[in-house]
Amino acid sequence: MIRDLGVVGAGNTGQGIVLTAAQSGINVIFCEQSEDKVQEAIDSMASSLDHEIERWGLTKTEKTVILSRVRGTTSLPELESLPFVIEAVSDDMDHKAKVFRDMDAVLSPGTIMATNTSSLSITQLAALTNRAELVVGIHFLAPVPKRPLVEVVRGFRTSDETVKMARELASDMKKTAIEVFEYPGFVTTRLILPLLNEAMHVVMEGVASATDVDTAMRLGYNFPTGPLELADRIGLREVMLWMEHLFRELGDLKYRPCPLLRKMVRAGNLGVATGRGFFVYDERGRRREENV
């Protein structure tokens, strides 16, 4: 079992990775850009655990134990001796490339470097390092604590041992891992995006309302969440970036972002993060029963 883990980037997904690992008995050091962001992440994670306590899913003692395994820092070299470090910054190649170069420069030569990405090239990131065989994709679906699946993605030079370690980490974190050979969108993103895009087209074309589209898929096909609410929860800007990336990589029209999606992103209606997307949400991300 991996007892110590590093996480670079503590946004929503990074926080989910940190909490899930800590709940599984793993000590985690996460790195952010400033002391303010470190404290903001710790406060946010504490609030998430408080919410679980309110739902009777956790005790106060368990919260204390979980947070005792978490430490934040602004110094990347503090992660130097860890056996496994996951980069979880925004899904932008230029940003990830800079972080990967910085990580490669300070981490021990034997440290496995993983990237949490939904669609970007593991091989391209690995080529920026001096340890391509130790670079792997490990795609956690959001919200991380509630999604039991992880995609472990092989780059061109990722070693069998690195994949094995990534799968073991996923298992330690109580996740089911599937192994994916690098291809744009991997499995989950490649399959879900055409559904989300088509649902948006149905609304844009006036065929049915967003509420009725989601009701149709929930009741007609037993989806736990309708496609438009799912897009809101992923984040509409992220969904659009993923679509644009796959459209560039594959040239397939099914990945060309719906014009309604572009309009909503330009208007700042980004989903749960802003409280308004295809639906309206409160400060805890709970959907309100009102029209957008």
Side-chain angles (χ1 to χ4, degrees), residues 248-260:
R248 286 194 303 271
E249 289 285 316
L250 301 174
D252 195 320
L253 290 177
K254 65 188 175 188
Y255 296 114
R256 185 171 64 185
C258 175
L260 177 59

Side-chain angles (χ1 to χ4, degrees), residues 1-4 20-27 69 83 165 168-169 171-174:
M1 177 178 179
I2 293 175
R3 299 289 182 183
D4 300 285
T20 303
Q23 284 179 297
S24 303
I26 300 170
N27 298 311
R69 299 189 183 113
M165 293 294 291
E168 286 181 0
L169 175 63
S171 178
D172 291 341
M173 293 173 68
K174 311 299 188 295

Side-chain angles (χ1 to χ4, degrees), residues 121-151:
S121 170
I122 314 305
T123 301
Q124 187 174 346
L125 287 170
L128 302 173
T129 75
N130 294 307
R131 63 183 87 201
E133 70 284 354
L134 296 178
V135 175
V136 65
I138 183 163
H139 176 213
F140 292 88
L141 279 71
V144 177
K146 299 185 183 300
R147 294 286 182 261
L149 179 74
V150 165
E151 292 180 300

Side-chain angles (χ1 to χ4, degrees), residues 277-292:
F278 285 95
F279 304 102
V280 178
Y281 304 88
D282 66 17
E283 64 280 356
R284 284 193 168 177
R286 295 173 296 197
R287 183 172 152 188
R288 292 177 177 172
E289 294 304 320
E290 60 179 282
N291 295 323
V292 174

Side-chain angles (χ1 to χ4, degrees), residues 234-270:
I234 293 171
L236 298 187
R237 176 177 283 123
E238 286 74 13
V239 170
M240 189 176 79
L241 289 173
W242 296 350
M243 287 185 186
E244 288 175 336
H245 176 70
L246 264 65
F247 185 44
R248 286 194 303 271
E249 289 285 316
L250 301 174
D252 195 320
L253 290 177
K254 65 188 175 188
Y255 296 114
R256 185 171 64 185
C258 175
L260 177 59
L261 174 62
R262 292 190 183 280
K263 182 178 180 180
M264 293 178 70
V265 170
R266 287 168 181 157
N269 292 357
L270 306 180

Side-chain angles (χ1 to χ4, degrees), residues 149-163:
L149 179 74
V150 165
E151 292 180 300
V152 174
V153 187
R154 282 181 177 269
F156 186 68
R157 291 179 55 191
T158 306
S159 71
D160 291 341
E161 182 62 24
T162 298
V163 170

